[in-house]
Amino acid sequence: MSATQNANPQAGQGIPLPKKETDLFRAVVKHYESKQYKKGTKAADTILKKYPKHGETLCMKGLILNCQGKKFRDEAISMVKLGLMNDMRSHVCWHVYGLIYRSERNYNEAIKAYKQALRIDKQNHQILKDLALLQIQMRDLEGFTKSQHAILDLKPSLKGNWLAFALGKHMSEDHRGAIDVIDIFLGTLEEGSTEFQRNYETSELVMYKNSILSEIDAGANIKEALDHLEESKDLIVDELARLKMKGLYQLRLKEYSAAKTTFMSLLSRGSTEDYSVHTGYMCAALEMDVDICTKVLKRKGNGARTLASLEILNDSQRSVLKIEYQGTLQETFAKSFAIKRIIIELLAVDFKCNSSDSTAMEECMEALKAYLQANIRRGVPSLGQDLSALFLVECRVNKGEYIVAKDPVDIKAHPVYQQIVLLVEQHITSLSEQNSTFPDSDVTEPPSTLLWTWYLRAILHEVVAEYKEGIEMADTCIEQTPTGVDLYELKGRLVKGAGDIHAAVDCLEKGRDLDKQDRYICNQTTKYLLQANDEVKALERMALFTRHESDPEQNIYDMQVTWYELELAACFRRKMMFGKSLKKYMAIEKHFEDFHEDQFDFHSYCIRKVTLRAYVDVLRWEDVLWGHETYAEAAEGIIRTYLHLHDNPAKSDFEAEPDYASMTPAERKKAKAIARKKRKKAEKKLEQDAAKAKEESNKSSKDEDPAGLDLINKNPLEEAKTYANSLVKNAQHSIQTWLCQYDVCVRRGKSTMALQALWKAKELDKGGENTEILRRVVDFCKNVECQSTNETVKKTFANETNALLGGKSLNEFLEGWIKRISADSKTDLALRLEIGKSMVSCDVGSVKEVVKVVVGEGLELRGVALDVCKEALDFLTSLGADAKEGADDFKGAVMSRYCLASL
């Protein structure tokens, strides 16, 4: 027994390898770290020939094999486990075991292995570092802080260890603790150290400390943060960031005069085109409430919108801003495009609020005229989109805020739109004359000026759904300049809006042929091809901008082109190719897993480079990554597909047996013969599909299931449940999350959970007019019963169900909606249609009343879209002869708007 132990020394047992083998083992580790895997394997084999059960060598060889690709993965894992079994008291074996789990992205098991290694060697710096990285990756903030504290105790001379410990305190919401750690670190430095000099790393550390100070007591420590910012200004390199933070702090402290000076300093330093700086300046000039200042400055995705177009201001406030911008700012920054654009915005809002005021109208008209003429002369294709941002209407949900009008009904009634149309018509008339001049001008304009005026008029037709007129105007543009790529793209949009996606594709193809290096027009063509269910041509178009030496589909996946994958998944779903659709949706899920995994590379890098503010932003963004709208859309697509598969289980023809009992002998014989033929045909089709899938699989070694058959064969309801739970966990503020949860719970027979999901959705629907929620409320109250036998649960269930309807019966609930629709002639068409369907299913009202609810007074409604119109027309047709007149009138109105649609 003792001879065997000596022949196989175990480091964990205190019996080291001989010197020669020890040196070889060090060489194995060195070769692994330098990625010289063949040399490392050779050295490990030399040791194992003499000591075949040496645990640490076995583990290191397994680790090296694990780095050489998937084909060695199983062998590597087996070897590491064997090594660990031979030496369970070695911290090296446990460390390697953790590294194997880390490579498999099984971080929880890796953390367990690292902790076991630390029980054996409590002060191993490398294991502590690896453990800390996994803890911050998994957001075990308490464990991360403890690990960084231990690392700091081992090596207190390293700056990175102090910063990592401070970061752990910060992320754990111990803001004062983080400040103390930074202060103690600075206190250990000698006078004259680089950390006290003006450089990038010092600046970032100062700004990071300042950001922590501003978060103390939920942002109530602003005064201390402002004082610190002023004290440290000589050390800060990023002057723009310092001034922005200073301005925000001053606004929150109501130091409006000082804030105004700060934002003016930013403008003077070159931030005249930064609309957030203009918003800060406006807040200071108007001395806005602190909550409003904070909200508008921290709101993302504002683009070119400022306070004046985000919040509803009174006449005196707008007057103050007009004086500021038309006076001091316009004179000081005469070349600033943003300031000119903001003046237009202020005048447009003023005109909207005082449309009967002739002075306001004249000021707005003059400013718009100059703005239009300057941009038309330059040939700016985005001018229409720019002007559309001026069509502001009051938000029906968040009172006191503006939103940009998107519905044709709201845009057509907007006074600014009407004046822009009037100006453009005047310009077209004047430019079409022999002299070709703008109104009130003697300067002759080139032919391109008239072209871009027509182009703008076509866009103005598009935004109010006047597709026929818009197409005619686009044709006029193309007739004059048949080589303009933008003209074909505009016509394609109009044709698609008019209801003919295939003609729109042809139009975009003509534009794409004019400039085959234009990636935008190629992408638009691809998108339209997918919407026309032509995925083969779409891939050909995408392949023009991928690497030509390999599979374009794989290149697209590698580039993580999520918009293409979403469109392709929807295309496959429409074509009932559910396996391929699921594969594309799940490819997006894989991208998000990669996004989450990618943060691993930054945990050490950001601390080493002292980019701590950006690092904290990345960590916080990663925390809400799975709530991103792209992932939510993909998850919803997966859920809807699996629910469809659950509701419509696929049956082979030979599985569907006819009822022979009710047949005569002759009929039975004939039916059995037909069934045999169907069975043979179905079996042959299955063989062909399998052969085709195998052929496609052989073409691409990376995809063993190109048709997605494995995904289809899973339990659809369980898969839908998994993704619904993911959305509930990560996207709680989306109505679609709770609608998906409801649909899954109803099918699972979980009535209480379905009721909870409905209430969550209703809480998010501030406007109270969501069609999807209404449909499910009616369905729930009519068809779903409590599954629990507990009397308390039953009573609560009944009370909450009654509360869904506002304490009314279902018929009374629908009658209330009918009155609500009658009072608002512009109620959404989709909502009207849903109420009409509910009236029929619940037997409320006559057919004529249903038709009146759905049709209203024609198509002058909100929410009119071609697919909704088709659905409404099908519903009206299903009502029979009593609805024929209303259906015919509605069809005529739809054909009038969607002139190229086939109904």
Side-chain angles (χ1 to χ4, degrees):
M1 186 69 179
S2 60
T4 304
Q5 286 181 345
N6 292 333
N8 296 285
Q10 302 298 314
Q13 297 177 3
I15 309 172
L17 286 167
K19 184 178 184 306
K20 181 181 177 182
E21 282 70 24
T22 300
D23 291 341
L24 275 173
F25 184 78
R26 288 177 183 152
V28 171
V29 176
K30 185 176 179 181
H31 291 320
Y32 164 72
E33 291 173 345
S34 59
K35 297 184 179 180
Q36 296 177 326
Y37 299 131
K38 288 185 179 180
K39 291 183 178 179
T41 304
K42 186 176 179 181
D45 287 339
T46 303
I47 299 172
L48 291 172
K49 281 180 183 178
K50 192 170 183 180
Y51 302 106
K53 293 185 180 181
H54 186 245
E56 293 182 353
T57 305
L58 285 167
C59 286
M60 284 304 302
K61 183 180 178 182
L63 185 61
I64 290 171
L65 286 173
N66 189 61
C67 296
Q68 295 182 56
K70 290 183 178 180
K71 61 181 180 179
F72 298 107
R73 186 68 51 82
D74 293 337
E75 183 185 353
I77 293 172
S78 299
M79 191 166 290
V80 171
K81 287 183 177 179
L82 179 61
L84 182 62
M85 286 174 63
N86 284 327
D87 192 359
M88 298 193 73
R89 289 187 290 172
S90 168
H91 69 275
V92 174
C93 293
W94 283 106
H95 189 190
V96 171
Y97 193 50
L99 290 173
I100 291 291
Y101 272 123
R102 170 179 154 177
S103 69
E104 295 286 324
R105 297 188 181 183
N106 190 344
Y107 297 138
N108 289 322
E109 291 300 320
I111 288 172
K112 290 178 185 177
Y114 289 156
K115 287 182 177 179
Q116 183 62 35
L118 287 171
R119 289 191 185 99
I120 299 166
D121 186 0
K122 295 182 179 179
Q123 295 189 337
N124 189 299
H125 182 257
Q126 185 59 50
I127 299 175
L128 280 168
K129 279 183 65 177
D130 288 344
L131 175 62
L133 287 176
L134 288 185
Q135 286 170 327
I136 190 63
Q137 178 79 6
M138 299 301 292
R139 298 300 187 272
D140 177 11
L141 300 177
E142 184 180 353
F144 173 75
T145 306
K146 288 179 180 178
S147 297
Q148 289 298 346
H149 195 181
I151 293 171
L152 181 60
D153 286 341
L154 286 174
K155 293 191 176 182
S157 60
L158 294 180
K159 177 181 178 180
N161 293 344
W162 287 95
L163 298 184
F165 185 40
L167 179 80
K169 292 279 189 180
H170 178 203
M171 296 302 293
S172 301
E173 303 295 325
D174 183 5
H175 299 100
R176 284 295 177 191
I179 297 295
D180 291 341
V181 171
I182 294 173
D183 289 340
I184 293 170
F185 163 67
L186 294 174
T188 63
L189 302 175
E190 296 179 359
E191 189 175 346
S193 297
T194 55
E195 282 75 10
F196 298 128
Q197 298 173 6
R198 191 173 187 270
N199 55 59
Y200 175 78
E201 289 191 3
T202 301
S203 171
E204 281 297 305
L205 183 56
V206 168
M207 294 291 279
Y208 175 61
K209 179 181 176 181
N210 187 264
S211 68
I212 298 174
L213 285 170
S214 69
E215 294 176 15
I216 293 174
D217 298 332
N221 193 50
I222 299 301
K223 179 61 178 171
E224 184 181 354
L226 180 58
D227 293 342
H228 172 262
L229 201 63
E230 284 300 291
E231 292 168 4
S232 310
K233 66 180 180 180
D234 293 335
L235 296 174
I236 296 174
V237 175
D238 191 351
E239 186 66 11
L240 289 178
R242 185 187 76 83
L243 288 172
K244 283 186 177 180
M245 290 176 74
K246 180 181 177 182
L248 179 58
Y249 293 161
Q250 288 168 335
L251 285 174
R252 292 173 68 177
L253 291 170
K254 298 186 179 182
E255 297 177 3
Y256 296 113
S257 178
K260 186 177 178 182
T261 303
T262 300
F263 284 111
M264 178 59 84
S265 299
L266 277 165
L267 294 172
S268 301
R269 289 184 64 87
S271 295
T272 53
E273 309 310 305
D274 186 339
Y275 287 90
S276 66
V277 174
H278 287 287
T279 295
Y281 184 85
M282 291 178 183
C283 289
L286 298 178
E287 300 185 0
M288 298 296 290
D289 182 74
V290 173
D291 291 337
I292 293 178
C293 294
T294 306
K295 179 178 71 173
V296 295
L297 285 171
K298 291 196 173 183
R299 181 172 165 179
K300 295 181 180 179
N302 288 338
R305 296 179 66 189
T306 61
L307 174 70
S309 57
L310 291 169
E311 297 289 318
I312 297 178
L313 306 177
N314 57 41
D315 291 346
S316 61
Q317 288 174 322
R318 291 195 303 273
S319 297
V320 170
L321 293 181
K322 283 196 292 183
I323 291 169
E324 290 282 348
Y325 275 86
Q326 290 180 316
T328 307
L329 291 176
Q330 191 174 32
E331 293 171 3
T332 308
F333 309 105
K335 294 183 179 180
S336 171
F337 173 81
I339 289 176
K340 294 174 184 176
R341 178 66 176 70
I342 289 169
I343 291 172
I344 296 283
E345 183 180 87
L346 287 168
L347 293 172
V349 173
D350 203 34
F351 173 50
K352 176 195 175 298
C353 296
N354 302 286
S355 54
S356 58
D357 187 343
S358 59
T359 305
M361 184 182 73
E362 289 174 7
E363 285 184 352
C364 183
M365 287 283 281
E366 286 301 316
L368 282 171
K369 184 190 293 185
Y371 190 74
L372 283 173
Q373 291 178 4
N375 284 281
I376 288 171
R377 281 195 184 102
R378 290 167 56 207
V380 179
S382 60
L383 178 59
Q385 184 180 5
D386 182 20
L387 294 173
S388 295
L390 300 177
F391 309 148
L392 300 170
V393 292
E394 184 176 359
C395 181
R396 291 190 288 171
V397 176
N398 299 320
K399 299 298 181 182
E401 294 183 11
Y402 279 130
I403 59 170
V404 177
K406 297 294 184 184
D407 197 282
V409 170
D410 295 325
I411 296 174
K412 196 177 290 186
H414 202 285
V416 176
Y417 169 80
Q418 295 168 356
Q419 291 303 315
I420 290 174
V421 168
L422 181 61
L423 281 172
V424 173
E425 292 285 3
Q426 290 174 355
H427 284 41
I428 290 173
T429 302
S430 181
L431 290 166
S432 300
E433 293 177 354
Q434 189 173 359
N435 293 333
S436 186
T437 62
F438 281 126
D440 304 324
S441 174
D442 298 328
V443 179
T444 302
E445 300 293 338
S448 62
T449 304
L450 178 58
L451 169 71
W452 290 109
T453 311
W454 284 335
Y455 184 89
L456 176 59
R457 186 66 186 97
I459 293 176
L460 293 173
H461 281 305
E462 180 190 13
V463 296
V464 293
E466 295 173 350
Y467 299 116
K468 183 178 180 180
E469 295 84 351
I471 292 169
E472 291 172 356
M473 192 62 69
D475 284 334
T476 304
C477 294
I478 292 171
E479 185 179 347
Q480 193 216 56
T481 310
T483 56
V485 177
D486 292 309
L487 308 180
Y488 291 94
E489 195 269 335
L490 172 61
K491 183 181 177 182
R493 287 205 319 263
L494 288 160
V495 170
K496 178 192 170 188
D500 192 343
I501 185 64
H502 298 285
V505 168
D506 294 338
C507 189
L508 260 68
E509 284 284 14
K510 291 178 183 177
R512 190 188 65 81
D513 287 337
L514 294 172
D515 186 359
K516 294 186 178 180
Q517 293 183 335
D518 189 328
R519 188 185 293 263
Y520 172 75
I521 191 71
C522 182
N523 286 350
Q524 280 293 93
T525 306
T526 302
K527 186 176 179 181
Y528 280 28
L529 281 165
L530 290 173
Q531 291 173 358
N533 295 336
D534 191 347
E535 72 278 6
V536 176
K537 282 188 179 179
L539 182 59
E540 291 174 2
R541 300 297 174 267
M542 288 295 286
L544 297 173
F545 289 93
T546 61
R547 293 196 302 270
H548 298 291
E549 66 273 10
S550 57
D551 180 16
E553 195 162 356
Q554 184 62 39
N555 287 336
I556 292 167
Y557 174 82
D558 293 338
M559 291 188 291
Q560 300 174 332
V561 189
T562 54
W563 69 264
Y564 172 81
E565 289 168 330
L566 282 172
E567 288 286 354
L568 183 56
C571 169
F572 283 139
R573 191 171 153 202
R574 287 191 297 270
K575 297 177 76 172
M576 311 295 280
M577 301 165 71
F578 298 117
K580 289 188 174 183
S581 177
L582 288 170
K583 280 182 70 69
K584 290 304 170 186
Y585 281 131
M586 288 181 181
I588 294 169
E589 182 189 20
K590 180 63 170 63
H591 295 332
F592 275 78
E593 289 175 0
D594 291 340
F595 298 158
H596 185 262
E597 181 67 18
D598 287 344
Q599 68 177 302
F600 212 105
D601 299 329
F602 294 96
H603 296 318
S604 297
Y605 175 84
C606 290
I607 291 173
R608 189 171 70 253
K609 294 295 185 180
V610 201
T611 56
L612 298 173
R613 288 184 298 151
Y615 179 48
V616 170
D617 288 342
V618 167
L619 292 180
R620 288 173 174 168
W621 179 79
E622 290 280 0
D623 288 341
V624 296
L625 173 67
W626 297 99
H628 193 278
E629 59 184 13
T630 301
Y631 172 76
E633 185 176 349
E636 184 186 353
I638 293 171
I639 292 168
R640 297 291 173 213
T641 303
Y642 273 125
L643 291 181
H644 176 85
L645 292 173
H646 171 77
D647 295 340
N648 305 276
K651 283 190 175 182
S652 302
D653 290 342
F654 54 83
E655 289 178 341
E657 291 289 338
D659 183 12
Y660 296 122
S662 60
M663 299 180 182
T664 64
E667 290 172 339
R668 190 181 304 121
K669 183 178 179 181
K670 185 177 180 181
K672 286 184 176 181
I674 293 171
R676 278 196 300 272
K677 288 182 181 179
K678 283 186 177 181
R679 186 181 298 111
K680 287 181 180 179
K681 186 177 179 181
E683 287 174 349
K684 187 177 179 180
K685 187 175 185 303
L686 285 174
E687 289 175 3
Q688 290 174 347
D689 290 344
K692 187 177 179 181
K694 186 175 180 180
E695 184 182 348
E696 290 183 10
S697 177
N698 291 334
K699 289 180 182 177
S700 175
S701 59
K702 294 184 180 180
D703 192 352
E704 297 178 355
D705 182 28
L709 299 177
D710 292 342
L711 298 174
I712 293 177
N713 292 331
K714 291 182 179 180
N715 185 326
L717 203 53
E718 284 301 313
E719 293 300 310
K721 173 190 168 185
T722 300
Y723 285 94
N725 288 342
S726 173
L727 289 179
V728 167
K729 179 181 177 182
N730 300 294
Q732 297 182 5
H733 300 296
S734 169
I735 290 177
Q736 288 301 320
T737 292
W738 298 107
L739 296 180
C740 289
Q741 173 75 340
Y742 171 85
D743 292 340
V744 172
C745 290
V746 164
R747 287 166 175 80
R748 291 176 58 218
K750 304 291 184 181
S751 54
T752 306
M753 292 177 66
L755 177 61
Q756 181 191 40
L758 264 186
W759 272 111
K760 290 283 188 181
K762 280 181 67 68
E763 288 172 6
L764 294 172
D765 181 25
K766 296 179 181 178
E769 294 185 355
N770 187 289
T771 305
E772 297 292 325
I773 295 176
L774 176 64
R775 178 186 306 157
R776 286 162 177 81
V777 167
V778 173
D779 169 72
F780 185 84
C781 295
K782 186 180 176 186
N783 300 319
V784 180
E785 296 180 357
C786 182
Q787 304 296 323
S788 175
T789 57
N790 186 294
E791 291 301 323
T792 305
V793 174
K794 282 186 173 182
K795 185 177 179 181
T796 305
F797 184 88
N799 291 338
E800 292 299 318
T801 303
N802 189 44
L804 273 178
L805 303 176
K808 303 174 183 177
S809 67
L810 187 55
N811 286 10
E812 290 172 343
F813 175 75
L814 290 175
E815 286 169 0
W817 269 106
I818 294 169
K819 290 178 181 178
R820 187 170 171 179
I821 287 173
S822 301
D824 183 3
S825 60
K826 296 181 180 179
T827 306
D828 283 11
L829 176 60
L831 183 60
R832 289 173 170 271
L833 175 59
E834 197 54 49
I835 293 296
K837 289 181 176 180
S838 299
M839 289 171 67
V840 172
S841 66
C842 297
D843 197 20
V844 175
S846 63
V847 171
K848 289 186 177 180
E849 288 175 325
V850 172
V851 172
K852 185 178 179 182
V853 166
V854 174
V855 174
E857 298 177 4
L859 287 186
E860 291 304 312
L861 310 169
R862 294 190 180 92
V864 175
L866 180 57
D867 55 343
V868 181
C869 289
K870 287 182 177 180
E871 187 180 352
L873 192 57
D874 291 341
F875 172 67
L876 292 172
T877 304
S878 70
L879 296 178
D882 290 344
K884 188 177 186 308
E885 183 180 352
D888 290 343
D889 292 343
F890 184 75
K891 183 176 181 179
V894 173
M895 288 301 299
S896 176
R897 175 177 290 194
Y898 302 103
C899 53
L900 301 180
S902 55
L903 299 176

